């Protein structure tokens, strides 16, 4: 049985949320900076995706390392093991779901006149909510069918 009160569930989602904070900051800051150099919705949206990826990875890994240190686990070995299972699913979700949502919403929000900073932030938050649901469904399936617990 999957227990959402499990500490690993909490740590896993905290890592995802930290990644999301980084992604929101990255998407909004980079799209805002890009908006100072171009009015192209396409270019602003592309840079919002790049900024979200960079910001998300940075804060996600920061929180993951912090959790490994707190649990006194071997940092590099346990992170590599976690990422072996996490990364393929995260990449597929990012390519086929998250980035199209982020890209298209950012482009749309800029088209209707939103400031590029707000467009990038709101689009990233929307894409993240979908990512969060899908990555947790993946995590639950790993636990149920393969007895693998990511955290």
């Amino acid at each position: 049985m999957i227990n959402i009160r499990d500490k690993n569930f909490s740590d896993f989602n905290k890592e995802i949320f930290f990644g999301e904070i980084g992604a929101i900051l990255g998407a909004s800051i980079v799209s805002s900076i890009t908006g100072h150099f171009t009015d192209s919705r396409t270019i602003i949206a592309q840079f919002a995706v790049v900024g979200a990826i960079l910001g998300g990875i940075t804060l996600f890994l920061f929180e993951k390392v912090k959790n490994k240190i707190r649990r006194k686990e071997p940092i590099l070995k346990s992170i590599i093991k976690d990422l072996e299972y996490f990364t393929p699913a995260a990449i597929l979700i990012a390519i086929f779901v998250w980035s199209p949502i982020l890209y298209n919403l950012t482009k749309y929000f800029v088209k209707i006149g939103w400031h590029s900073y707000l467009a990038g932030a709101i689009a990233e938050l929307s894409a993240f909510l979908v990512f969060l649901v899908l990555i947790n469904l993946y995590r639950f399936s790993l636990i149920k069918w393969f007895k693998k617990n990511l955290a």
Side-chain angles (χ1 to χ4, degrees):
M1 182 85 185
I2 298 169
N3 181 0
I4 63 172
R5 293 178 190 240
D6 177 13
K7 182 66 175 159
N8 287 340
F9 176 80
S10 173
D11 285 350
F12 177 78
N13 280 290
K14 193 184 332 174
E15 293 164 3
I16 299 295
F17 278 112
F18 267 79
E20 175 54 14
I21 291 168
I24 289 173
L25 291 172
S28 56
I29 291 169
V30 171
S31 63
S32 181
I33 291 169
T34 305
H36 289 292
F37 295 103
T38 183
D39 290 331
S40 169
R41 298 186 317 253
T42 301
I43 293 172
I44 292 169
Q46 290 168 343
F47 275 89
V49 172
V50 170
I53 291 169
L54 294 175
I57 288 171
T58 301
L59 286 185
F60 170 80
L61 287 175
F62 174 79
E63 185 63 19
K64 183 165 269 311
V65 167
K66 192 173 93 175
N67 286 336
K68 297 297 181 181
I69 291 170
R70 181 180 43 80
R71 285 184 266 172
K72 296 181 175 41
E73 293 180 16
I75 296 168
L76 188 59
K77 183 179 177 182
S78 62
I79 287 177
I80 289 172
K81 185 178 176 189
D82 285 353
L83 293 178
E84 284 176 2
Y85 290 99
F86 177 80
T87 304
I91 287 173
L92 289 174
I93 294 168
I95 290 171
F96 295 109
V97 180
W98 170 83
S99 63
I101 292 171
L102 174 57
Y103 175 84
N104 288 309
L105 280 179
T106 301
K107 193 172 173 181
Y108 173 74
F109 292 149
V110 170
K111 178 182 176 182
I112 63 172
W114 288 24
H115 185 278
S116 53
Y117 182 88
L118 184 59
I122 298 299
E124 169 53 33
L125 185 58
S126 302
F128 168 71
L129 293 174
V130 176
F131 178 86
L132 181 65
V133 168
L134 293 176
I135 201 69
N136 272 288
L137 288 173
Y138 170 72
R139 181 178 180 273
F140 289 141
S141 67
L142 277 179
I143 293 168
K144 183 175 182 172
W145 293 315
F146 301 105
K147 308 298 183 229
K148 298 289 182 192
N149 195 355
L150 301 177

